[in-house]
Amino acid sequence: MWGGRFQKAEERSALDFNASVSYDCRMYKEDIAGSLAHASMLADHGIISKEDLEKITGGLLKIKKEIDEGRFAFSVELEDVHMNVEKRLTDDIGDAGARLHTARSRNDQCAADLHMYMRRHIAKLAEKLIAAEEALIGVSEKYKDVILPGYTHMQRAQPVLFAHHMMAYCAMLQRDFERLTGCYEIAEACALAGTTYPTMPKETAEKLHFSKCYGNSLDAVSDRDYLLQFLSFASICMMHLSRLSEELILWSTGEFGFIELDDGYSTGSSIMPQKKNPDICELVRGKTGRVYGHLVALLTVMKGLPLAYDKDMQEDKEGVFDTIDTLRFALDIYAGMLSTMTVNGARTRAVLENDFSNATDMADYLAKKGLPFRRAHTVVGNAVAYCIENRKVLLALTMEEFKKMSPLF
């Protein structure tokens, strides 16, 4: 790539440290699509010949087919996906392949490929988010008559519908979906830097189905805001799934017994035969910190970089790729797990009939009768204390006992 300037080969350790092909090879579709569009634009403006364009197009499509079929050998010596494809193309078609890099740099390729890659996977994640929302709606409809204790400070507070509780998470995921659409919009810019050749970036952008180009070439190759916005979305989404995980873990314990996860989404113990563990929920809860880490890592990489491109920015990909994989699996598996779990409505009802979750309703009753709410609150508080002392619940009090607490009953 730069043999003319250098008189000595790169040290093997430095080569291995520099190389990114082990992970950026997953962008091969985008890299080839970008090269096809670039070559077409070069030919349209007479920068390369139509004959060269035909050779380049045929060669790139052949390489894509080999990679699709797992027959292409990526080389660490060529550092990244861009040079692996270009070197193979040049080996196959000669000088025409060497002309492909006219009027662009690898920085341009990297930025354009990442934009395309993110756009493709944001669309896939949007589908997964919708499926998870549909699963929450489905389980809410299935158990729409189930009542369970609502909690504040992890203490029983008031009765709520199970469906209402589940739909709170659906609302969270809907906000996540809206944030994700914002990520798609910010990724809808084609990254192409300036050149002395009479290129037309807008034409290339149109060929790649981008809605707009960057207005500044330095910004084009150094912008990673769209990745940071995506990682921020993913962190918030994983936080929502983690909160749901915590509740499902608690609800599936013997102490709660509110739900039972399907066997297909549970594991057992190698020593205790009775165990049924909510490992999926625990893993999602644990992997949330991993996604947070990728956001903080990229923020830290970018915080002190001068314009335009710096090698530090190679660290943008692994965390983003891992986040896409992690979130995709989490959403996918949650859609199935939520759809198959069983809710024990009899158990949740029994719990409510033996606690004081209806105390607020009792205070509201008195307030509607004309008693100021603060005084009603005190009356019911005294009633709860009386019940605790006499090993009763509010539902078990007689009318005579109610009248002693307030003549308004």
Side-chain angles (χ1 to χ4, degrees):
M1 290 180 283
W2 40 73
R5 166 64 176 83
F6 288 78
Q7 305 303 312
K8 181 181 177 182
E10 189 174 3
E11 293 291 339
R12 182 70 206 195
S13 58
L15 178 65
D16 291 340
F17 193 61
N18 260 322
S20 59
V21 69
S22 63
Y23 50 88
D24 68 18
C25 62
R26 67 162 70 190
M27 297 193 302
Y28 76 90
K29 291 179 181 177
E30 288 73 21
D31 193 67
I32 290 173
S35 290
L36 287 168
H38 182 68
S40 178
M41 182 273 299
L42 292 177
D44 288 345
H45 294 277
I47 299 171
I48 65 172
S49 68
K50 295 294 183 181
E51 182 183 356
D52 281 348
L53 174 62
E54 289 179 9
K55 290 180 179 179
I56 289 170
T57 301
L60 287 173
L61 292 177
K62 177 185 174 185
I63 292 170
K64 180 181 180 300
K65 187 173 186 294
E66 286 188 21
I67 302 175
D68 286 341
E69 295 172 353
R71 295 186 291 109
F72 187 91
F74 286 100
S75 169
V76 172
E77 283 73 14
L78 294 171
E79 195 172 297
D80 56 30
V81 64
H82 321 296
M83 292 311 302
N84 268 268
V85 171
E86 184 180 322
K87 175 67 164 59
R88 172 61 183 278
L89 180 68
T90 304
D91 287 347
D92 285 353
I93 66 173
D95 286 349
R99 293 190 183 98
L100 174 60
H101 204 54
T102 305
R104 72 172 181 181
S105 73
R106 280 196 301 165
N107 301 340
D108 300 331
Q109 286 179 267
C110 180
D113 289 0
L114 261 175
H115 275 280
M116 287 189 281
Y117 185 87
M118 292 306 298
R119 198 172 52 172
R120 176 160 64 96
H121 284 277
I122 285 170
K124 289 182 177 180
L125 283 172
E127 293 177 355
K128 300 295 183 185
L129 260 174
I130 290 169
E133 287 186 69
E134 288 174 344
L136 285 165
I137 293 168
V139 75
S140 297
E141 290 177 338
K142 183 177 181 180
Y143 295 103
K144 63 184 178 183
D145 296 323
V146 171
I147 303 170
L148 79 165
Y151 292 81
T152 62
H153 308 278
M154 276 310 295
Q155 304 296 311
R156 291 178 197 164
Q158 291 179 276
V160 296
L161 287 170
F162 170 80
H164 190 59
H165 198 109
M166 287 292 99
M167 290 305 291
Y169 285 104
C170 192
M172 295 178 203
L173 294 188
Q174 181 57 30
R175 290 196 297 273
D176 292 331
F177 183 87
E178 291 164 5
R179 275 184 281 269
L180 186 60
T181 60
C183 293
Y184 189 91
E185 289 171 8
I186 199 173
E188 266 285 87
C190 191
L192 293 163
T195 175
T196 58
Y197 290 92
T199 58
M200 293 295 290
K202 287 184 179 179
E203 289 182 13
T204 307
E206 288 172 4
K207 292 177 190 296
L208 296 172
H209 308 291
F210 282 104
S211 62
K212 56 186 177 293
C213 290
Y214 277 85
N216 185 288
S217 62
L218 292 175
D219 185 39
V221 295
S222 63
D223 173 35
R224 295 299 182 271
D225 290 1
Y226 65 103
L227 298 182
L228 290 167
Q229 185 167 327
F230 171 77
L231 290 171
S232 176
F233 142 77
S235 295
I236 295 171
C237 187
M238 285 297 292
M239 176 268 290
H240 290 151
L241 293 177
S242 184
R243 293 181 69 180
L244 178 55
S245 294
E246 176 69 10
E247 299 216 276
L248 295 179
I249 291 166
L250 286 173
W251 289 353
S252 64
T253 62
E255 287 74 15
F256 279 78
F258 292 176
I259 66 166
E260 182 176 357
L261 298 175
D262 187 81
D263 287 357
Y265 295 94
S266 306
T267 62
S269 165
S270 63
I271 187 173
M272 293 168 281
Q274 83 282 10
K275 293 288 294 296
K276 186 174 183 180
N277 299 327
D279 281 7
I280 299 300
C281 300
E282 292 168 358
L283 275 173
V284 168
R285 188 175 59 181
K287 288 177 183 291
T288 299
R290 173 179 180 151
V291 173
Y292 290 177
H294 294 322
L295 171 60
V296 174
L298 187 55
L299 284 168
T300 306
V301 165
M302 298 300 298
K303 72 176 180 62
L305 293 186
L307 291 175
Y309 180 82
D310 301 275
K311 191 70 170 185
D312 313 48
M313 293 166 72
Q314 183 169 292
E315 290 296 302
D316 61 357
K317 298 175 191 65
E318 286 180 281
V320 169
F321 294 163
D322 183 68
T323 296
I324 289 170
D325 294 343
T326 300
L327 185 54
R328 184 180 73 247
F329 279 124
L331 288 169
D332 202 32
I333 205 164
Y334 255 65
M337 186 172 68
L338 290 168
S339 299
T340 55
M341 75 178 184
T342 302
V343 179
N344 188 347
R347 166 65 177 164
T348 61
R349 180 77 183 219
V351 167
L352 287 168
E353 290 176 350
N354 289 281
D355 71 4
F356 301 103
S357 291
N358 51 359
T360 304
D361 298 272
M362 187 172 168
D364 287 342
Y365 169 85
L366 292 174
K368 290 173 184 176
K369 290 275 189 170
L371 190 66
F373 183 80
R374 283 301 174 199
R375 288 174 60 189
H377 187 285
T378 300
V379 169
V380 178
N382 289 332
V384 170
Y386 172 83
C387 287
I388 292 172
E389 184 178 346
N390 290 276
R391 297 175 182 268
K392 291 185 174 185
V393 292
L394 296 174
L395 282 174
L397 294 178
T398 65
M399 183 54 66
E400 182 182 358
E401 288 171 311
F402 276 120
K403 289 287 188 184
K404 287 179 180 178
M405 294 169 190
S406 172
L408 294 175
F409 283 113

